[in-house]
């Protein structure tokens, strides 16, 4: 039985990366969210941070188990989350995981389009040229 090299991401590092991914661009909207929710928003932020950290540790442990049990996962793997899903529950676990990843990436991209459109709109409005936010979003998305 071959011993797995543990030179890759550890559980703590995986947890930090997952927490950063979960927070991601949402941190940019944090001031407005805090104004809208008050102290309860701070409680939610702490709760979600703990949840993301815990999820990261569990995913890190799942990956270590996959490396130990299946030789094909001991090198570099392009799709670790779908691989974990497939080994855990079968083909539909891979599909659900890929859909979740796609929706997360799409949502993150949409947030950046809105933020860039707001920034450009306010920047150009300061010199007297005004367009609606919707038009700026189309311009940003096309460019």
């Amino acid at each position: 039985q071959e011993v797995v090299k543990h030179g890759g991401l550890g559980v703590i590092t995986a947890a930090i990366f997952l927490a950063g991914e979960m927070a991601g661009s949402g941190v940019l909207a944090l001031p407005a969210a805090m104004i809208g929710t008050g102290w309860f928003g701070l409680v939610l932020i702490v709760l979600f941070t703990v949840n993301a950290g815990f999820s990261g540790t569990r995913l890190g442990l799942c990956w270590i188990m996959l490396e130990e049990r299946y030789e094909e996962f001991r090198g570099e793997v392009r799709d670790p989350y779908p691989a974990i899903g497939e080994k855990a529950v079968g083909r539909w676990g891979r599909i659900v995981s890929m859909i979740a990843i796609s929706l997360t990436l799409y949502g993150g991209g949409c947030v950046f389009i809105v933020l860039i459109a707001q920034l450009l709109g306010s920047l150009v409005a300061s010199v007297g040229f005004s367009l609606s936010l919707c038009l700026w979003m189309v311009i940003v998305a096309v460019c």
Side-chain angles (χ1 to χ4, degrees), residues 35-47:
I35 290 171
T37 58
W39 287 105
F40 184 67
L42 186 61
V43 172
L44 286 175
I45 289 170
V46 170
L47 178 69

Side-chain angles (χ1 to χ4, degrees), residues 12-112:
I12 301 299
T13 307
I16 291 170
F17 281 163
L18 186 63
E21 172 63 29
M22 297 296 283
S25 56
V27 172
L28 298 174
L30 196 56
M34 287 301 297
I35 290 171
T37 58
W39 287 105
F40 184 67
L42 186 61
V43 172
L44 286 175
I45 289 170
V46 170
L47 178 69
F48 293 148
T49 301
V50 169
N51 184 28
F54 178 77
S55 299
T57 60
R58 299 303 100 184
L59 282 170
L61 291 172
C62 286
W63 186 251
I64 289 171
M65 285 193 305
L66 251 65
E67 285 181 327
E68 291 173 348
R69 294 180 183 180
Y70 302 100
E71 190 172 322
E72 64 265 22
F73 295 114
R74 293 186 185 157
E76 291 188 24
V77 177
R78 286 182 50 93
D79 55 351
Y81 297 141
I84 291 171
E86 185 171 20
K87 291 298 180 181
V89 293
R91 181 85 175 134
W92 70 271
R94 172 177 280 280
I95 293 169
V96 168
S97 176
M98 291 175 76
I99 289 170
I101 291 168
S102 298
L103 289 175
T104 300
L105 293 173
Y106 178 77
C110 290
V111 168
F112 284 120

